[in-house]
Amino acid sequence: MITTTYNKLNGFQVALPEADAPANSMASDDILIAVKDSNWLFNGEEVSAQELQQRLTENAPKMNENNWVIIAADGAVSYDKVMKTMEIANLAGINRITLQAQKPQNQ
């Protein structure tokens, strides 16, 4: 199953990849991780990789089957960085992960 969400990010500008998939709404208990270059934002606050794993580990028990970790990676971010972010979430015990995209400009 492939999912995507459309949300405005606070913190730094992220040029999201485009996708035609229908948008999912973000629940208030979902976690948004923005990824750009060497930085991560955890729900709008800049964190290191270690802090990201710590926060995800703290939040994992609070999540239920309706909650997601949403990764919003800049289109210029390496595949490796996105995979590292997904790995950090998995190591924290989270397996409901989705990638965020934006609608193509001509739609």
Side-chain angles (χ1 to χ4, degrees):
M1 178 170 96
I2 297 173
T3 63
T4 185
T5 59
Y6 303 104
N7 292 304
K8 182 177 180 183
L9 299 176
N10 294 324
F12 51 68
Q13 192 68 25
V14 175
L16 295 172
E18 295 181 349
D20 290 322
N24 292 334
S25 59
M26 185 173 170
S28 61
D29 294 336
D30 288 344
I31 296 171
L32 179 61
I33 301 171
V35 183
K36 186 169 184 179
D37 301 326
S38 62
N39 301 322
W40 282 279
L41 290 181
F42 179 90
N43 287 338
E45 185 178 338
E46 192 164 343
V47 294
S48 67
Q50 184 177 16
E51 291 169 323
L52 178 61
Q53 184 165 358
Q54 179 182 354
R55 295 217 185 160
L56 289 171
T57 301
E58 290 169 359
N59 282 275
K62 303 172 193 170
M63 297 182 74
N64 62 46
E65 67 276 356
N66 297 316
N67 296 129
W68 290 88
V69 167
I70 302 164
I71 298 174
D74 187 274
V77 170
S78 71
Y79 181 75
D80 184 59
K81 180 74 180 244
V82 174
M83 291 303 297
K84 171 83 172 158
T85 306
M86 294 174 75
E87 178 185 30
I88 290 170
N90 283 140
L91 290 171
I94 297 170
N95 59 11
R96 291 182 54 87
I97 301 167
T98 186
L99 300 176
Q100 187 177 48
Q102 65 184 359
K103 288 186 178 186
Q105 296 296 323
N106 60 358
Q107 293 186 359

